[in-house]
Amino acid sequence: PPSTAGDDLAALSELDEAAMLLGLRERFLRQQLYTNVGDILIAMNPFQPLPLYGSEVSERYRHHDTGELPPHIFAVASRAYHAMLGRRCGRPQNQCIVI
């Protein structure tokens, strides 16, 4: 599925705790377990196996532009890897991912 405005909660006109929790709840109920808040990726535990990590999913996120696909941990990894190699900004940049 293509990316939607609800993929990034930073796009909300008012970002407070209630709006964030409501957005996360709605996405969780649709089994959309990854949500961006600006440059931050929120991951929710579905407490059930879902087909989110197969090689076909990984391949889709390998060379995508931000916003093309829904938020995913593979998108974070791809952006960091390509920035580290200098493919996104012309020169290599150090990367840090906090989990």
Side-chain angles (χ1 to χ4, degrees), residues 9-60:
L9 295 181
L12 293 174
S13 59
E14 200 169 312
L15 183 58
D16 58 16
E17 183 179 355
M20 181 180 280
L21 290 175
L22 178 62
L24 290 172
R25 182 180 192 286
E26 289 173 355
R27 291 180 60 75
F28 181 84
L29 293 174
R30 292 191 310 260
Q31 294 187 335
Q32 295 172 317
L33 305 178
Y34 292 108
T35 304
N36 288 324
V37 182
D39 289 335
I40 298 169
L41 179 71
I42 296 176
M44 296 178 282
N45 186 343
F47 301 103
Q48 63 179 305
L50 293 173
L52 296 175
Y53 305 106
S55 58
E56 64 283 345
V57 177
S58 174
E59 199 56 40
R60 273 191 308 192

Side-chain angles (χ1 to χ4, degrees), residues 73-86:
I73 192 68
F74 290 160
V76 172
S78 179
R79 281 193 309 269
Y81 178 73
H82 290 291
M84 180 182 70
L85 296 177

Side-chain angles (χ1 to χ4, degrees), residues 62-80:
R62 186 168 303 228
H63 299 289
H64 83 286
D65 289 326
T66 302
E68 261 182 27
L69 297 171
H72 197 285
I73 192 68
F74 290 160
V76 172
S78 179
R79 281 193 309 269

Side-chain angles (χ1 to χ4, degrees), residues 85-98:
L85 296 177
R87 294 180 182 162
R88 297 233 187 257
C89 58
R91 62 179 181 79
Q93 292 184 325
N94 293 331
Q95 299 295 301
C96 176
I97 298 174
V98 178

